[in-house]
């Protein structure tokens, strides 16, 4: 009996020790859980803080990126931020179509304007022209006082011919927009609104980043750029003057007349310029012109200007030409 009692007491003490160890384990587990919860809460708070800081930095970068995009042509901006182009002093030689414009007699036109009025008109002018440039895919190189330098063919190109056509379409659209701006400025009381001259040329240029590793400029250089500036100087007010190289590429889409050859500094041979004559023609007038140009073919009929006699002569000449073509001679 005494042995049973002693045995029972040992079992009780054993259970009591196990219970104490179990309670200690439970307490330690609770403490560990509390530490984990505290650590998890701190971690979540840190993550949320980091997320907020990251979002704030992204907003700052987006704002800076948006501001930076105002100083770069969209094509250049995209090529840099997508990694297609490095910010290094690298240039290449490419065939481009170059656009150069300025305001005729800018100094005399603006000499009576107050600084505020001049700023308004210049910004209005550049804003409207830049919109058209971006619509047509031009790379805006720079604004130089009242002048604009743009080009087609880099960093993106649709081919030499289509680049030239896009440039000339843009130039025509700009002169038409200028006509509306002139009416607007006149209505606002400005006696001598701007009149723009445009030169367009196609040729090989060096294009890329020029400058130093610390300060570079994405631009074009070469004799073709100088020739474009010379064409612009020789253009009529409200006019567009093309080089022969550009005219050959766009002659099936635009009416132009050859002008007297001009000499350009740094260019050995005379330059054959062509002035665009259909800048302000409306759609109905353009439909009256039948134009076919290809290798060995050059036909242009202005249906609106044909008389009965000239119409008959033109028809007879076309019939004779068609007969000879059918005979293969």
């Amino acid at each position: 009996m005494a042995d049973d009692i002693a045995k029972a007491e040992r079992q009780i003490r054993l259970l009591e020790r196990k219970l104490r160890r179990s309670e200690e384990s439970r307490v330690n587990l609770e403490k560990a859980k509390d530490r984990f919860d505290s650590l998890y809460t701190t971690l979540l708070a840190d993550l949320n803080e980091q997320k907020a800081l990251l979002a704030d930095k992204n907003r700052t970068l987006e704002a800076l990126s948006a501001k930076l995009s105002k100083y770069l042509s969209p094509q250049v901006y995209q090529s840099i931020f997508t990694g297609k182009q490095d910010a290094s002093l690298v240039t290449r030689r490419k065939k481009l179509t170059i656009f150069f414009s300025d305001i005729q007699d800018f100094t005399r036109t603006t000499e009576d304007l107050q600084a505020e009025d001049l700023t308004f008109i210049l910004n209005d002018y550049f804003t409207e022209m830049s919109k058209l440039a971006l619509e047509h895919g031009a790379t805006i190189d720079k604004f130089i006082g009242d002048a604009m330098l743009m080009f087609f063919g880099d960093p993106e190109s649709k081919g030499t011919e289509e680049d030239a056509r896009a440039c000339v379409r843009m130039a025509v659209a700009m002169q038409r927009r200028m006509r509306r701006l002139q009416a607007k400025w006149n209505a606002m009381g400005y006696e001598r609104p701007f009149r723009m001259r445009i030169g367009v040329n196609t040729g090989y240029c060096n294009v890329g980043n020029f400058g130093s590793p610390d300060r570079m400029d994405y631009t074009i250089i070469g004799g073709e750029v100088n020739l474009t500036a010379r064409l612009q100087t020789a253009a009529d007010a409200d006019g567009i003057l093309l080089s022969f190289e550009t005219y050959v590429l766009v002659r099936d889409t635009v009416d132009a007349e050859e002008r007297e050859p001009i000499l350009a500094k740094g260019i050995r041979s005379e330059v054959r310029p062509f002035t665009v004559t259909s800048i302000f023609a409306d759609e109905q007038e353009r439909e009256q012109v039948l134009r076919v140009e290809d290798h060995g073919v050059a036909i242009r009929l202005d249906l609106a200007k044909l008389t009965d006699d000239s119409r008959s002569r033109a028809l007879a000449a076309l019939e004779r030409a068609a007969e000879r073509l059918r005979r293969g001679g």
Side-chain angles (χ1 to χ4, degrees):
M1 184 67 179
D3 291 339
D4 291 337
I5 293 173
K7 184 176 180 181
E9 288 177 348
R10 286 195 300 273
Q11 290 178 345
I12 290 172
R13 286 193 294 272
L14 180 61
L15 287 174
E16 287 176 346
R17 286 195 297 271
K18 288 182 177 180
L19 284 174
R20 283 195 297 272
R21 287 196 296 271
S22 177
E23 180 63 18
E24 290 173 356
S25 297
R26 185 189 66 79
V27 171
N28 291 334
L29 184 61
E30 288 291 336
K31 290 180 180 179
K33 181 178 177 301
D34 291 340
R35 288 195 298 271
F36 176 79
D37 289 343
S38 177
L39 181 62
Y40 181 71
T41 301
T42 302
L43 180 61
L44 282 180
D46 289 342
L47 286 174
N48 289 332
E49 184 179 355
Q50 292 298 321
K51 186 185 295 185
L53 289 173
L54 182 60
D56 186 58
K57 288 182 178 180
N58 284 336
R59 286 191 295 269
T60 302
L61 287 174
E62 288 174 1
L64 290 173
S65 177
K67 292 177 181 178
L68 180 61
S69 69
K70 306 296 183 183
Y71 293 89
L72 296 173
S73 180
Q75 300 93 326
V76 179
Y77 174 82
Q78 288 295 332
S79 64
I80 291 175
F81 278 82
T82 57
K84 294 180 181 179
Q85 180 171 311
D86 293 328
S88 58
L89 296 175
V90 177
T91 63
R92 53 201 170 277
R93 189 162 175 80
K94 294 185 70 175
K95 194 169 189 178
L96 309 174
T97 293
I98 309 141
F99 169 101
F100 202 100
S101 72
D102 82 342
I103 303 301
Q104 185 186 44
D105 297 328
F106 178 75
T107 301
R108 186 169 62 86
T109 301
T110 59
E111 61 185 3
D112 295 328
L113 291 176
Q114 296 297 323
E116 294 81 3
D117 292 332
L118 176 57
T119 299
F120 165 75
I121 295 179
L122 266 180
N123 287 339
D124 196 21
Y125 163 66
F126 283 136
T127 297
E128 292 300 314
M129 297 305 109
S130 296
K131 287 179 183 177
L132 290 173
L134 298 180
E135 287 175 10
H136 287 82
T139 298
I140 301 175
D141 189 319
K142 58 176 67 71
F143 301 124
I144 314 166
D146 61 301
M148 296 185 293
L149 175 60
M150 308 178 188
F151 55 88
F152 288 75
D154 193 82
E156 299 172 358
S157 174
K158 295 182 180 179
T160 302
E161 185 173 327
E162 183 53 37
D163 289 341
R165 291 182 177 183
C167 185
V168 173
R169 285 195 296 265
M170 178 190 74
V172 171
M174 285 182 171
Q175 288 292 22
R176 291 176 179 166
R177 184 68 57 85
M178 278 296 289
R179 181 66 64 88
R180 295 202 295 270
L181 286 174
Q182 288 163 358
K184 169 186 171 181
W185 294 331
N186 263 323
M188 295 175 67
Y190 300 111
E191 297 180 7
R192 291 181 292 188
F194 291 167
R195 301 184 69 188
M196 180 168 59
R197 300 178 302 197
I198 295 175
V200 179
N201 176 39
T202 301
Y204 282 95
C205 304
N206 289 326
V207 56
N209 295 321
F210 295 85
S212 73
D214 298 320
R215 176 66 175 87
M216 61 188 67
D217 189 18
Y218 177 82
T219 187
I220 55 176
I221 63 171
E224 301 297 340
V225 182
N226 300 331
L227 174 55
T228 310
R230 180 69 182 88
L231 287 168
Q232 171 271 126
T233 302
D236 296 328
D238 305 320
I240 303 169
L241 202 60
L242 312 177
S243 68
F244 176 75
E245 287 72 13
T246 300
Y247 172 69
V248 169
L249 297 170
V250 304
R251 59 187 175 184
D252 60 336
T253 61
V254 69
D255 294 323
E257 294 178 353
E258 186 168 3
R259 288 281 186 87
E260 290 294 323
I262 59 176
L263 291 173
K265 186 177 181 181
I267 306 297
R268 293 183 178 180
S269 58
E270 291 183 330
V271 178
R272 294 176 59 190
F274 291 77
T275 184
V276 179
T277 59
S278 57
I279 298 175
F280 301 110
D282 59 26
E283 191 65 33
Q284 184 176 0
E285 289 174 328
R286 291 196 297 275
E287 289 178 354
Q288 293 296 312
V289 178
L290 175 64
R291 191 186 299 108
V292 179
E293 296 201 31
D294 203 341
H295 184 67
V297 182
I299 301 173
R300 183 184 182 281
L301 293 174
D302 192 338
L303 303 179
K305 295 181 179 179
L306 290 176
T307 64
D308 290 341
D309 290 341
S310 61
R311 188 184 301 273
S312 298
R313 290 194 297 272
L315 184 59
L318 288 172
E319 287 175 345
R320 289 195 300 271
E323 182 62 28
R324 293 185 66 178
L325 285 172
R326 280 192 285 268
R327 292 202 307 266

